[in-house]
Amino acid sequence: MSLQVVWSLCLAYPSQAINGLALFLALSGGWLLLATRWREQRAVARVLAAGEGGALDVDGLASYAQVERLNRFFYGFGGLGLGAGLLLSWLSTQLQPGALF
């Protein structure tokens, strides 16, 4: 499919093009949330399997704080992706065909 045909489809149906972008953002945000949760669960299982349930040294606590900060960032970014997808999806319902240009 040529680029001109794709562009003409975007111009003819702007709400569907924006809704496709919203779907991409929502899927990537949701995947990031799930991947972060799975990574947290694997880390907890690894610590429990090693038998270090309550014994963490100072270096372990520092790296744990860094991992928690990274997980908070990923959770925030994933939530932002879901929110942006929801907002774009809602905005795409307000568009009329040919309203972009």
Side-chain angles (χ1 to χ4, degrees), residues 13 33 39 42 46-47 51 70 85 94:
Y13 305 105
L33 289 173
R39 193 178 72 190
R42 279 196 324 246
R46 194 176 322 125
V47 167
L70 186 65
Q94 308 300 319

Side-chain angles (χ1 to χ4, degrees), residues 38-101:
W38 288 334
R39 193 178 72 190
E40 278 184 338
Q41 287 177 346
R42 279 196 324 246
V44 168
R46 194 176 322 125
V47 167
L48 290 177
E52 300 176 19
L56 288 175
D57 57 349
V58 176
D59 294 332
L61 288 176
S63 67
Y64 182 73
Q66 291 173 350
V67 169
E68 283 298 314
R69 192 171 59 230
L70 186 65
N71 286 340
R72 277 196 315 267
F73 172 76
F74 283 147
Y75 278 132
F77 200 78
L80 186 67
L82 284 175
L86 177 66
L87 181 68
L88 278 177
S89 179
W90 178 77
L91 288 175
S92 72
T93 62
Q94 308 300 319
L95 287 178
Q96 303 298 325
L100 281 181
F101 297 103

